[in-house]
Amino acid sequence: MEDGYIQENELENLDEREKEIELIKNIIHTRRELKNVDKNFEYAQDDLVDYYIYEMKANQAKLNYLIKMAKMKGITVDMINDIKYRLSSDEEVG
């Protein structure tokens, strides 16, 4: 596993609840990436401006897709916030 992600072939072995948790983790991670790219964009110069615009568009498209998938599965914002809280608590402990 890399960066806390589960590879696609490993996802097949998970039950539906575990798949939902992985989807929520991906949403949280993608939101963080989008925020970081936005911060970097503020200080970008020259050719990096185009790079960060491309990266923002890519992350936004990914986030839109993940949110669409979450809605289809009936995942609510409360569930996302609950997982986000648990993940941040785990990071403080670990």
Side-chain angles (χ1 to χ4, degrees):
M1 256 189 293
E2 195 172 294
D3 291 327
Y5 286 111
I6 293 180
Q7 292 184 0
E8 200 170 319
N9 58 351
E10 294 176 15
L11 278 175
E12 295 172 0
N13 299 329
L14 300 178
D15 64 26
E16 281 305 308
R17 181 72 177 150
E18 291 170 326
K19 287 179 183 179
E20 289 177 359
I21 291 171
E22 283 305 311
L23 178 59
I24 292 169
K25 285 181 181 179
N26 281 315
I27 289 171
I28 293 167
H29 181 77
T30 304
R31 281 183 179 169
R32 281 188 196 140
E33 285 181 347
L34 193 55
K35 286 181 183 179
N36 288 335
V37 170
D38 188 50
K39 288 178 188 175
N40 289 332
F41 176 75
E42 290 179 27
Y43 300 102
Q45 296 177 1
D46 304 322
D47 292 338
L48 284 179
V49 171
D50 291 337
Y51 169 78
Y52 286 119
I53 290 172
Y54 172 79
E55 196 168 357
M56 275 192 281
K57 287 182 180 182
N59 279 319
Q60 187 61 57
K62 180 180 177 183
L63 184 59
N64 291 343
Y65 171 78
L66 293 171
I67 290 172
K68 182 179 177 182
M69 296 300 298
K71 284 181 182 179
M72 288 174 39
K73 291 182 177 281
I75 296 173
T76 64
V77 173
D78 291 337
M79 293 170 73
I80 293 172
N81 287 335
D82 182 50
I83 297 293
K84 187 176 181 179
Y85 174 76
R86 282 194 262 157
L87 287 174
S88 65
S89 296
D90 290 346
E91 288 174 359
E92 290 173 6
V93 173

